[in-house]
Amino acid sequence: MIAAIKKQPAQNLPLYELKITLRGSNPAIWRRVQVPGSINLNRLHDVFQVVMGWTDSHLHHFVDAPIVYSVPSGDDYPGEERLDERRFRLADVARHEKASFIYEYDFGDSWVHEVVVEKTLPADPNKKYVCLHGKNACPPEDCGGIWGYYELLKAVKNPKHKETRKCSTGSAASLIRATSISKRSTLNSVA
């Protein structure tokens, strides 16, 4: 059994500025957010879904090696110890500035996000979750992972590509136009 992590009172926990980067993306697909250290990991998942543009259609987990945090399910691998993410806060996983951990979404496409605590700020109970900045469009769901995404972008940009007819209209075509997100977006849907 993994040892229990000592809990601090929520009002003593700082505000965290996190940078979330989609592994394998080039140029990097990333977002910078501010969230309270008291946020539970299941709510942090909701924040990541909104800022990255995912649709919350797949399983996910957080990895602070060797510890894995997730919502327990019957699909867990036997013998693999997982902690219930609903019982842990960001401050339990990222205990200091420059700490890092992994957030993986959609185990089939394996969207691995590297999360780094860029800085901690004084606690502010009235602060809303905020997306400060970001670059580059998030891939669409179910496109085959980062490599499938780059094939999709090639198809959208090249009228002679064999997949062009499948993706020349609609959301796939809009991918190459969406390159950044607005600064200081308040995340009202998860606040």
Side-chain angles (χ1 to χ4, degrees):
M1 180 73 173
I2 296 171
I5 298 169
K6 186 179 177 184
K7 300 270 186 176
Q8 294 180 18
Q11 67 272 18
N12 295 345
L13 296 173
L15 188 67
Y16 279 67
E17 190 166 300
L18 305 175
K19 185 172 184 185
I20 307 118
T21 305
L22 184 59
R23 187 182 282 172
S25 59
N26 187 13
I29 298 168
W30 63 271
R31 306 292 183 262
R32 181 171 289 119
V33 299
Q34 285 183 348
V35 294
S38 60
I39 189 172
N40 283 21
L41 293 180
N42 62 315
R43 296 290 289 157
L44 187 61
H45 158 74
D46 295 338
V47 170
F48 289 178
Q49 288 289 300
V50 170
V51 299
M52 293 303 294
W54 301 121
T55 62
D56 202 6
S57 303
H58 302 281
L59 296 174
H60 71 278
H61 62 208
F62 295 89
V63 180
D64 182 24
I67 304 169
V68 177
Y69 302 87
S70 65
V71 176
S73 81
D75 294 331
D76 291 343
Y77 294 108
E80 181 180 71
E81 186 167 12
R82 292 176 172 263
L83 299 180
D84 187 341
E85 71 181 43
R86 297 168 295 191
R87 299 184 62 187
F88 293 88
R89 303 174 297 193
L90 173 58
D92 299 327
V93 175
R95 294 171 209 48
H96 54 82
E97 286 187 7
K98 308 302 178 211
S100 63
F101 59 94
I102 297 295
Y103 167 73
E104 184 177 5
Y105 171 65
D106 184 355
F107 303 145
D109 281 359
S110 190
W111 299 111
V112 176
H113 305 74
E114 296 171 358
V115 183
V116 176
V117 178
E118 290 190 315
K119 61 183 162 181
T120 57
L121 304 161
D124 183 351
N126 298 318
K127 181 98 173 169
K128 296 217 182 254
Y129 306 140
V130 175
C131 183
L132 299 172
H133 194 46
K135 290 278 186 186
N136 299 311
C138 183
E141 300 277 346
D142 302 319
C143 70
I146 197 70
W147 311 118
Y149 174 57
Y150 286 120
E151 279 302 310
L152 177 63
L153 288 178
K154 284 182 199 174
V156 170
K157 292 178 183 179
N158 180 358
K160 295 182 180 185
H161 194 283
K162 64 183 179 181
E163 299 292 321
T164 298
R165 282 190 304 253
K166 292 181 185 176
C167 63
S168 62
T169 61
S171 62
S174 67
L175 288 175
I176 59 174
R177 292 189 293 274
T179 57
S180 66
I181 62 170
S182 63
K183 292 183 180 181
R184 289 271 179 207
S185 301
T186 300
L187 304 173
N188 292 326
S189 62
V190 293

